[in-house]
Amino acid sequence: MSTAFDAVIIGAGPAGTTAAIRLADAGWSVAIVEKRDFPRRKVCGECIAASNLPLLDALGIGEEFDALAGPALERVGLFVGARRIVAPLPPMADARHRWGRALGREHLDTLLLARARALGVQVWQPWAVKELIHDGDAHVCMISQAGAQSTLQLRAPLLIQAQGSWEPAPRDGDADVDDPRIPRRDSDLLAFKATWRDARMEPGVLPVLAFPGGYGGMVLGDHGLTTLAFCIRRDVLQRARAVHAGTSAAQAALAHVQASCAGVGDALAGAALAGPWLAVGPLRPGIRRAWHGDGRFAVGNAAGEAHPILGEGMSMAIQSAWLLCDRLIAQRTRPASPAGMRPSFTSPGQDYARAWRLNFAPRLRFAAVCAHLAMRPQAATALLPLLQRWPGLLTRGARIAGKVRQAAVSSHGVPARPPGPRPDLPPAPGVHG
Ligand SMILES: Cc1cc2nc3c(=O)[nH]c(=O)nc-3n(C[C@H](O)[C@H](O)[C@H](O)COP(=O)(O)OP(=O)(O)OC[C@H]3O[C@@H](n4cnc5c(N)ncnc54)[C@H](O)[C@@H]3O)c2cc1C
């Protein structure tokens, strides 16, 4: 089996698989490394904004998504204390894809990865990238299989980091020092998620939950399951655990949410947990690095993470990968560089980093403002009379959040075709092996 590729991608979340599908369809040889076995559940509210649905069509999983996903999300809500405010979500102009929908990550990520595999992407799973080394023109990923000691090297001139942001990044052999450990802070956000059967959740409504020290969301998704996902500050969780002694962290956190958000308790009364709780954290929202100055790029959460109050993380993952691949593929259609010459990533790199900031930095800032308001009961309570009088402000907020903004547009669908590189394209510059 070859271990040299045009591109190696770390992580098979929506960002990594989007990049893998786009590059493979353009004729690149691609490897993707994913440390977890699929299907796997993941902490996520699982709402996919309508702006991504044309992209899922173009990636080749639109029909499967349509068949599986939950009801169209036509309204946005705010649950604070005993209050519930509901307003229309803004629709997309595309008549086929007016509204977002929710689909469990165990389905979405599996569909995307299967599509990448069908297009000839070599999938290393469950393998983890342990270390990155820069060797001349190549990026070298040291990978090892789950539970095994031995390592293997994957080489490529292009490395796409799509490993998310909730686990330590692979060790960077080029860095002078490893990242210092970030100390625990009271303000750290810990995230929880669970799904329920038979919850009394109104179909088509996407409420934001605001409670002291945290925020979250709730939605009716696929197979009649209701997903609840939320973030809570470390110090608030500690106090909740002291109050609800003898319960798990997730149960204490849920009790805190239910006590401060009546809509959650009402929806879950009589509902049955479907599967165990999941937890991750601490979350560190913020902008990271989209381009590392050579053939090394980051997409999705690895490039930047918004507070998940707006549920736009998967949009940013899919759309950032799309923006990057547009630029990489366009560069490759230029006349091939003389044999052996290193491909230049400067132009797509600068352009991608600029496009990333333009499209996503405002969403990150808006999400941060919303998150800090939601976590402070006085601020949320002060805003309520305004929102009750003008619920359309929630609609406007959803628009500013990017719910109908298409950072990336598909010019054509990715056609179904047999696996393997496209015979009609020249080899990529800098191909090894
Ligand atoms: C509480 C909460 C609610 C949310 N709700 C929503 C929502 O409703 N809608 C929405 O759009 N977004 C939501 N998000 C955000 C969304 O989940 C993320 O933004 C999204 O998963 C990012 O996608 P990604 O592909 O960048 O990374 P990920 O989905 O995190 O995928 C990264 C992958 O890389 C793998 N990996 C990691 N390290 C390695 C390694 N060293 N080697 C190999 N593989 C590796 C991981 O196993 C993982 O599969 C929510 C987040 C939270 C915390």
Side-chain angles (χ1 to χ4, degrees):
M1 189 184 280
S2 169
T3 54
F5 301 88
D6 297 338
V8 173
I9 299 172
I10 310 174
T17 47
T18 297
I21 293 170
R22 293 266 347 251
L23 293 180
D25 186 67
W28 298 54
S29 66
V30 181
I32 191 164
V33 188
E34 167 56 53
K35 70 199 293 187
R36 300 277 310 276
D37 262 324
F38 282 8
R40 57 104 174 81
R41 297 170 67 231
K42 194 168 171 76
V43 175
C44 186
E46 305 182 326
C47 298
I48 319 250
S51 56
N52 300 297
L53 302 187
L55 303 183
L56 296 187
D57 281 348
L59 291 171
I61 66 152
E63 278 181 22
E64 291 96 328
F65 179 87
D66 271 353
L68 283 173
L73 300 170
E74 300 184 9
R75 279 164 299 155
V76 59
L78 179 64
F79 289 3
V80 191
R83 307 281 178 78
R84 287 170 231 203
I85 302 171
V86 176
L89 267 168
M92 283 277 294
D94 180 343
R96 283 177 319 123
H97 296 304
R98 282 219 182 290
W99 312 105
R101 295 167 69 185
L103 179 62
R105 295 291 298 270
E106 62 274 35
H107 304 299
L108 179 72
D109 294 22
T110 306
L111 284 174
L112 284 165
L113 187 58
R115 177 68 181 148
R117 192 180 261 124
L119 288 172
V121 173
Q122 240 181 66
V123 180
W124 299 80
Q125 185 185 36
W127 286 66
V129 177
K130 299 290 184 189
E131 187 172 1
L132 305 174
I133 298 165
H134 204 169
D135 177 18
D137 292 352
H139 293 280
V140 181
C141 293
M142 310 294 293
I143 67 170
S144 67
Q145 195 167 15
Q149 290 300 317
S150 57
T151 59
L152 195 74
Q153 295 184 5
L154 302 184
R155 302 173 71 87
L158 175 69
L159 174 69
I160 299 182
Q161 295 196 240
Q163 75 269 8
S165 55
W166 305 336
E167 305 174 60
R171 218 157 57 82
D172 183 348
D174 286 344
D176 292 339
V177 284
D178 284 339
D179 284 348
R181 286 241 163 264
I182 302 171
R184 286 171 159 231
R185 294 183 303 220
D186 284 349
S187 59
D188 282 342
L189 282 178
L190 308 172
F192 293 87
K193 170 249 181 83
T195 43
W196 276 266
R197 257 176 237 299
D198 304 324
R200 281 186 289 182
M201 187 64 204
E202 201 181 330
V205 180
L206 176 56
V208 171
L209 318 172
F211 54 88
Y215 57 81
M218 224 178 164
V219 73
L220 180 60
D222 56 275
H223 300 90
L225 295 173
T226 291
T227 294
L228 167 67
F230 60 85
C231 296
I232 182 168
R233 281 175 57 117
R234 188 189 292 281
D235 53 355
V236 175
L237 177 62
Q238 264 165 3
R239 287 200 290 275
R241 293 202 75 175
V243 173
H244 304 279
T247 62
S248 68
Q251 285 165 335
L254 177 63
H256 174 75
V257 176
Q258 285 180 314
S260 11
C261 232
V264 177
D266 293 347
L268 297 184
L273 251 188
W277 279 92
L278 303 179
V280 290
L283 267 48
R284 308 251 185 232
I287 297 179
R288 298 178 179 97
R289 247 171 119 180
W291 177 49
H292 288 255
D294 48 15
R296 182 171 151 193
F297 296 85
V299 290
N301 273 24
E305 178 176 14
H307 274 273
I309 188 163
L310 305 177
E312 276 294 296
M314 283 190 284
S315 301
M316 288 171 49
I318 293 169
Q319 295 177 23
S320 62
W322 203 280
L323 291 175
L324 172 61
C325 292
D326 273 349
R327 284 152 183 80
L328 292 171
I329 293 166
Q331 186 202 35
R332 184 160 165 207
T333 57
R334 289 186 195 140
S337 47
M341 260 189 70
R342 187 180 175 193
S344 169
F345 290 106
T346 306
S347 162
Q350 288 174 338
D351 201 30
Y352 167 62
R354 203 176 307 118
W356 196 100
R357 278 194 307 276
L358 194 72
N359 283 288
F360 305 126
R363 287 187 216 190
L364 260 80
R365 286 194 283 272
F366 184 60
V369 170
C370 295
H372 287 287
L373 287 175
M375 286 192 279
R376 290 174 171 76
Q378 289 105 331
T381 314
L383 276 176
L384 272 176
L386 209 64
L387 292 170
Q388 271 173 325
R389 194 175 166 122
W390 291 293
L393 288 173
L394 285 178
T395 313
R396 207 180 163 78
R399 200 176 278 283
I400 299 172
K403 288 287 168 210
V404 289
R405 183 185 160 91
Q406 286 182 288
V409 180
S410 71
S411 53
H412 64 282
V414 176
R417 63 174 188 81
R422 270 167 66 160
D424 54 323
L425 290 173
V431 175
H432 298 258

